Amino acid sequence: MKERGIGQATGKIILIGEHAVVYGKPAIAFPFAGVGVTAKIQADTKSTIDSEYFTGTLNQLAQASSMKNVYSLVEKLRNDLQVPNFALHIESTIPAERGMGSSAAVAVAITRAFFDWQEQPLTDTLLLDYVNYSEQIAHENPSGIDAAATSGTNPILFKKGHELQDFPLNIDAYLLVADTGIKGKTREAVKAVAHLKIQNPKAIDEKLMRLGQCTHQAQEAIINNQPDVLGKIMTESHYILKHLSVSSDLLDEAVNTAVNNGALGAKLTGGGRGGCLLILTNTLATAQQIQKQLAKLGIKKTWLQGLGVYKNA
């Protein structure tokens, strides 16, 4: 057993395919290293948890209904690994309720910290078993995409009823994620698309079909290092989503601002009607210029990640 164990995880974003995935079309999720979670654990006289959302003993954590998934995961790890009393500290930069995989990332970081502390081998399969256990408590019927994306390094293609498929992140660009500051309204947006589909099934089916095609084209662009192509697909996808009524005035204005200031492409991400947007640029300077322009719209919270050769720059 080490003196201290450390576990880390990234956030996650839906790059393309949101809403269409509800109707059996593919979507792509990205691990997003611009935000993340770090968990640190060491032996102590009693078992305690320290985090932004809860600080107290493990017994007190059991009474916090909003933390049931964390309590259950920690209890399972404690019993499976037969560990002594501990102090667990969790730090997260992933904003809650923004579709960025916060709960899954916390589970990844905690699991890795426990295994690192005990110096036990942790396979990807075993890690996902623990994370999915926690996610089932948090979300009842998770797709598994958050668990896979927050624990991995590659983009993931997913489609309802199919195995998750990861593929190489081979695109040289910068990805800027900007938070509108407005909570996304996923459930409301999903209902709105369903209502439109009832009203005009042929037209909406064509839009959803095109979103599925965009996802496959985006995958090819990422594999073949075609950032210009990916950017155009992203912007097209945004305007299809706008047509499906899941955008907002601020998201539309931010996308237009990004494109008019040199972005290769931009789009909303996740449920829509708030939440975050994604912006792809070919240079760091362009991304930074767009950050300044978005601030003029009131969008001050942004995160930047280099992709491909820029990943560790």
Side-chain angles (χ1 to χ4, degrees):
M1 181 175 76
K2 297 166 78 172
E3 182 177 340
R4 183 172 71 168
I6 298 176
Q8 294 180 310
T10 67
K12 142 270 172 183
I13 52 161
I14 302 295
L15 178 71
I16 199 161
E18 51 273 273
H19 287 286
V21 76
V22 175
Y23 298 94
K25 305 297 185 288
I28 293 173
F30 248 54
F32 184 64
V35 293
V37 178
T38 299
K40 300 175 183 178
I41 187 169
Q42 61 190 49
D44 208 340
T45 54
K46 59 182 177 181
S47 293
T48 60
I49 313 284
D50 174 37
S51 73
E52 181 181 352
Y53 296 104
F54 174 89
T55 297
T57 66
L58 190 57
N59 289 336
Q60 291 170 332
L61 182 66
Q63 308 305 315
S65 58
S66 63
M67 302 282 284
K68 186 178 179 183
N69 58 315
V70 174
Y71 170 74
S72 299
L73 174 64
V74 169
E75 271 289 278
K76 182 171 176 58
L77 287 163
R78 185 170 72 93
N79 291 325
D80 288 355
L81 296 175
Q82 292 292 294
V83 301
N85 287 333
F86 57 82
L88 174 63
H89 179 70
I90 304 166
E91 293 181 0
S92 176
T93 57
I94 304 177
E97 299 183 71
R98 293 296 190 275
M100 296 178 79
S102 177
S103 66
V106 167
V108 170
I110 289 173
T111 303
R112 283 176 168 163
F114 266 88
F115 274 80
D116 181 53
W117 182 36
Q118 295 302 303
E119 298 182 276
Q120 294 293 319
L122 179 61
T123 64
D124 290 343
T125 300
L126 184 56
L127 171 62
L128 289 177
D129 284 345
Y130 279 107
V131 178
N132 283 322
Y133 169 80
S134 176
E135 284 288 272
Q136 283 165 4
I137 295 167
H139 302 297
E140 292 186 6
N141 187 28
S143 66
I145 189 65
D146 283 14
T150 57
S151 62
T153 57
N154 285 331
I156 297 166
L157 183 77
F158 65 105
K159 187 176 180 181
K160 192 184 289 186
H162 291 69
E163 288 283 322
L164 300 177
Q165 173 196 336
D166 69 348
F167 58 94
L169 178 57
N170 186 42
I171 194 156
D172 300 333
Y174 290 90
L175 187 66
L176 180 66
V177 178
D179 185 356
T180 63
I182 302 166
K183 287 183 179 179
K185 301 178 180 69
T186 302
R187 187 170 299 179
E188 177 186 299
V190 168
K191 286 182 178 179
V193 175
H195 182 65
L196 287 174
K197 196 172 184 301
I198 292 169
Q199 289 183 314
N200 195 346
K202 186 174 184 295
I204 299 306
D205 281 344
E206 288 175 356
K207 297 293 183 186
L208 295 170
M209 181 70 72
R210 179 57 193 146
L211 284 174
Q213 293 169 346
C214 284
T215 296
H216 285 301
Q217 291 171 355
Q219 181 184 25
E220 289 299 311
I222 292 166
I223 291 171
N224 295 315
N225 196 10
Q226 298 172 314
D228 289 356
V229 174
L230 179 60
K232 290 174 183 176
I233 294 166
M234 288 170 62
T235 305
E236 180 187 353
S237 174
H238 176 81
Y239 285 105
I240 295 173
L241 291 167
K242 178 183 178 181
H243 184 85
L244 294 175
S245 80
V246 301
S247 188
S248 70
D249 290 344
L250 181 55
L251 284 166
D252 292 340
E253 188 175 7
V255 166
N256 289 336
T257 296
V259 172
N260 290 337
N261 281 274
L264 299 175
K267 64 179 287 293
L268 66 84
T269 179
R273 297 195 172 185
C276 296
L277 68 145
L278 310 177
I279 298 156
L280 192 75
T281 72
N282 56 5
T283 69
L284 178 60
T286 301
Q288 291 170 335
Q289 169 63 20
I290 292 169
Q291 282 177 310
K292 293 176 183 177
Q293 295 303 316
L294 292 179
K296 295 178 182 178
L297 301 180
I299 299 175
K300 297 182 175 62
K301 192 71 174 176
T302 56
W303 304 272
L304 185 59
Q305 177 181 350
L307 308 176
V309 297
Y310 306 122
K311 194 170 185 180
N312 298 310

